[in-house]
């Protein structure tokens, strides 16, 4: 089985120094971009807040409140509104039957 010239070129063994050079270039490029200043983000902070310390970090358990889930709240609200609407319908029907 003979390989095509493109396959032979693509799968040809590369010297160790070439692979090391590519790895070094990628590392240096990533380090250079990590140290760059991003003015679009840094300039958004007002001058009076720049000198303030960062706020303390809270554990997730204390940061989240123990409020019920929105699905539970909406179900309870829906049931309460349905019961109130049914009560108002019954009252309206009683008033219609009285016929002043």
């Amino acid at each position: 089985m003979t390989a095509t010239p493109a396959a032979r070129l693509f799968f040809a063994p590369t010297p160790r120094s070439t692979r090391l050079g590519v790895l070094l270039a990628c590392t240096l490029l990533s380090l250079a971009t990590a140290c760059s200043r991003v003015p679009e983000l840094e300039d958004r902070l007002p001058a009076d807040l720049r000198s303030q310390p960062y706020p303390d970090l809270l554990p997730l358990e204390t940061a989240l409140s123990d409020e019920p889930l929105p699905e539970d709240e909406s179900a309870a609200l829906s049931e309460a509104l349905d019961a109130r609407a049914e009560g108002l319908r019954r009252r309206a029907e009683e008033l219609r039957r009285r016929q002043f």
Side-chain angles (χ1 to χ4, degrees):
M1 178 175 188
T2 60
T4 62
R8 275 188 270 144
L9 181 64
F10 182 72
F11 293 111
T14 56
R16 183 179 176 100
S17 61
T18 304
R19 283 184 276 169
L20 187 61
V22 169
L23 182 63
L24 183 62
C26 290
T27 303
L28 290 175
L29 183 64
S30 65
L31 287 175
T33 58
C35 296
S36 65
R37 182 177 176 271
V38 183
E40 297 86 19
L41 298 177
E42 292 176 4
D43 294 340
R44 286 186 177 179
L45 195 61
D48 59 336
L49 292 180
R50 286 189 190 135
S51 62
Q52 297 296 320
Y54 283 101
D56 294 332
L57 297 178
L58 298 175
L60 190 57
E61 295 81 28
T62 58
L64 298 176
S65 63
D66 292 331
E67 294 181 8
L69 294 174
E71 295 85 13
D72 297 338
E73 277 188 336
S74 64
L77 180 62
S78 179
E79 289 174 9
L81 289 175
D82 289 343
R84 184 175 175 197
E86 185 58 34
L88 289 173
R89 283 188 204 101
R90 270 190 263 121
R91 184 173 175 207
E93 188 60 36
E94 288 174 18
L95 289 174
R96 281 190 206 107
R97 288 183 188 167
R98 284 189 192 171
Q99 290 186 1
F100 291 100

